[in-house]
Amino acid sequence: MSNKISIRGGKPLKGEIHISGAKNAALAIIPAAALVKGVCRLENIPNIVDVMIQLDIIRGFGADVRFLNPTTVEIDCTHIGCQHPDYDLMRRLRASYYFIGAMLGRVHKAEVAMPGGCNFGGVRPIDLHMKGFEALGAEVSIKEGGFVCAEARDGLSGKNIFLDVVSVGATMNIMLAAVMAEGQTVIENAAKEPHIVDLANFLNSMGADVMGAGTDIIKIRGVKELHGGTYSIIPDQIEAGTYMAAVTATGGELLIKNIIPRHLECIGVKLEEMGAEIEYFDDSVRVSRYGELHRTNIKTLPYPGFPTDMQPQLAVALCMADGASVITEGVWEARYLYVDELAKMGAAIHVDGKVAVVDGVGKLTGAPVKATDLRAGAAMVIAGLAATGETVIDGIVNIERGYEDIVGKLRAVGADISYVTDNDPVTLKAV
Ligand code: UD1
């Protein structure tokens, strides 16, 4: 049983990496399949823990799920309707909340466990989702034991809904509930992330009428029912961005394949400021860094701003730069739990609320560290690749939640990285 990752760092990365399907798109599209009375064939499914949990949850609602090959899955929701899925599974990931919107849309009733997911060190409310469902005509309550119950006895009716905070989850959840509601729903101040467009494209290809996804006004005209079909999920923006940040931190050159260039521009701009060279092709990007790394400032914002899910990875690259950089977290209340772990490797980062000042130290030293959440875990991997000596990362299930075969992909481009077990208490041994 492998439960840690060991990295002997200090080697430049060189070669090609293939990007998997987008986690956050797949996590919304799988519940969306529950709206379809028929078979959805989903291609480019990432093989990651969160997706496997989401597929297990939909099985619990009565779906028939089968893989045709490692990246293609068929979900048949013809006979869906069981109201008692595995609540423990639901608590393991945030995106289980998409089953509220999807089940409300399909059977006008949903009961799900309060969602879990990454703990960034602050609150992660779902009040906007609940207000949206209520606006569409559902009664929503939180029951003892941490359950969210929603029911629309008279069905759902389209409404104008203004989100007072730009929320990815609320935008997609309301979209799911509204697709088969009576009449038109308009979501104003909607989030514009690539996975929102992907969910809308999926729904439209199954017969929905969703317009404006990718802008801040989304219009959804309710349809009677959705039909089955085949859909290919977009590549993962954050996985690609993580490898772009990794090669910027370690030096070297990577050709990152199966990407959508415009999704990566907000990340590439910052890496260029730091000294990386970036060349975009139709569906790939070449990132190289041979010279010095320079300081820069970063503010995370909803798309098309710099993504909060790239903030920890960039912080590591900034540790390797000269001078002081300022990071401002503009999406979450706080997202700096990883800073204490990086300090063990010699990083000098000072946090004050939403702001972190990264004093470039030019080098990091290997140490035992923890992956405190998914992107924090990715940051530890980059730190280990850039550091001198050995880094051993604990809590790697957090990494496996969102990165397909990260060890194999990095080994293929020259990293000295392997899984290790606890079985050898003296020196951790590669298996
Ligand atoms: C999704 C991503 C997560 C990413 C985040 C922002 C998934 C599974 N997760 O999370 O990786 O970091 O988008 O890009 O796709 N908010 C409220 N009330 C709500 C909902 C959100 O106040 O009901 C606030 C949050 O506290 C936060 C902001 O809105 O400050 C953005 O959150 P949101 O976009 O909803 O994040 P998630 O969809 O949970």
Side-chain angles (χ1 to χ4, degrees):
M1 177 69 184
S2 54
N3 54 7
K4 293 185 181 177
I5 288 175
S6 162
I7 305 170
R8 290 187 181 278
K11 295 188 170 181
L13 300 177
K14 190 153 183 57
E16 294 181 3
I17 286 193
H18 182 91
I19 297 305
S20 302
K23 162 183 165 285
N24 289 345
L27 292 181
I29 289 172
I30 291 166
L35 289 161
V36 177
K37 217 179 224 175
V39 180
C40 296
R41 181 180 290 186
L42 301 179
E43 298 171 346
N44 206 26
I45 279 275
N47 193 337
I48 53 177
V49 169
D50 275 8
V51 160
M52 297 308 144
I53 294 176
Q54 202 75 323
L55 289 171
D56 279 345
I57 294 173
I58 202 167
R59 276 191 188 99
F61 279 107
D64 190 13
V65 177
R66 64 185 188 113
F67 273 91
L68 303 185
N69 62 50
T71 58
T72 305
V73 69
E74 270 188 0
I75 305 177
D76 183 352
C77 290
T78 308
H79 303 296
I80 203 158
C82 163
Q83 295 297 310
H84 300 288
D86 187 330
Y87 295 125
D88 288 336
L89 279 179
M90 288 190 149
R91 288 198 176 88
R92 286 179 57 190
L93 82 167
R94 177 107 181 131
S96 56
Y97 56 35
Y98 292 129
F99 284 101
I100 312 176
M103 293 312 287
L104 259 183
R106 176 76 187 263
V107 294
H108 299 163
K109 192 173 172 182
E111 181 174 303
V112 306
M114 267 304 236
C118 279
N119 172 14
F120 301 145
V123 289
R124 296 188 70 176
I126 59 163
D127 57 306
L128 294 171
H129 305 230
M130 293 167 68
K131 277 191 216 163
F133 300 142
E134 282 167 352
L136 296 177
E139 272 181 39
V140 188
S141 57
I142 309 280
K143 274 201 204 153
E144 201 184 319
F147 295 100
V148 184
C149 302
E151 186 165 7
R153 285 201 179 83
D154 301 324
L156 297 164
S157 310
K159 282 278 160 8
N160 277 24
I161 298 171
F162 183 87
L163 298 178
D164 49 16
V165 177
V166 178
S167 160
V168 172
T171 302
M172 297 214 275
N173 228 343
I174 295 167
M175 202 192 287
L176 291 172
V179 155
M180 293 197 293
E182 192 69 38
Q184 178 172 276
T185 298
V186 180
I187 308 174
E188 287 188 62
N189 201 27
K192 297 181 277 209
E193 269 64 6
H195 29 293
I196 288 172
V197 179
D198 210 35
L199 174 63
N201 287 343
F202 165 79
L203 291 168
N204 286 341
S205 72
M206 303 294 147
D209 186 351
V210 180
M211 286 173 299
T215 76
D216 49 17
I217 300 183
I218 300 177
K219 291 186 183 161
I220 304 148
R221 279 203 212 105
V223 295
K224 288 266 175 285
E225 63 175 29
L226 301 183
H227 53 74
T230 298
Y231 189 78
S232 186
I233 289 169
I234 52 165
D236 197 302
Q237 174 204 30
I238 305 297
E239 188 198 13
T242 298
Y243 293 121
M244 291 168 78
V247 69
T248 302
T250 61
E253 185 171 318
L254 286 184
L255 182 65
I256 301 170
K257 292 176 140 177
N258 186 37
I259 56 114
I260 296 176
R262 74 174 182 284
H263 295 167
L264 300 177
E265 282 163 7
C266 48
I267 301 165
V269 159
K270 285 289 150 190
L271 298 177
E272 279 174 326
E273 277 176 31
M274 294 178 65
E277 281 187 28
I278 302 189
E279 199 180 348
Y280 294 100
F281 305 99
D282 285 350
D283 61 356
S284 61
V285 58
R286 180 178 293 124
V287 184
S288 57
R289 202 273 291 172
Y290 292 108
E292 300 282 292
L293 266 182
H294 310 298
R295 60 158 299 283
T296 189
N297 296 333
I298 290 165
K299 177 162 186 177
T300 70
L301 288 169
Y303 189 82
F306 184 86
T308 174
D309 287 356
M310 281 300 302
Q311 185 252 95
Q313 301 90 312
L314 255 284
V316 174
L318 293 172
C319 289
M320 307 297 291
D322 56 28
S325 306
V326 179
I327 299 177
T328 308
E329 176 54 50
V331 175
W332 295 107
E333 207 179 295
R335 195 173 186 167
Y336 295 115
L337 289 181
Y338 66 89
V339 163
D340 288 347
E341 298 303 308
L342 276 187
K344 295 175 187 165
M345 302 178 70
I349 305 178
H350 313 279
V351 177
D352 185 4
K354 289 176 171 249
V355 177
V357 178
V358 183
D359 278 327
V361 285
K363 72 177 204 113
L364 295 169
T365 312
V369 290
K370 270 198 215 84
T372 51
D373 66 55
L374 168 58
R375 305 306 170 187
M380 293 309 128
V381 171
I382 297 175
L385 294 171
T388 51
E390 186 184 20
T391 296
V392 178
I393 306 171
D394 201 355
I396 62 166
V397 68
N398 273 323
I399 301 172
E400 291 166 341
R401 286 185 42 210
Y403 289 89
E404 179 174 322
D405 191 22
I406 193 167
V407 167
K409 288 186 186 186
L410 285 168
R411 276 171 87 110
V413 293
D416 186 348
I417 179 170
S418 51
Y419 287 110
V420 293
T421 71
D422 268 340
N423 297 343
D424 180 351
V426 186
T427 49
L428 291 165
K429 206 171 115 196
V431 290

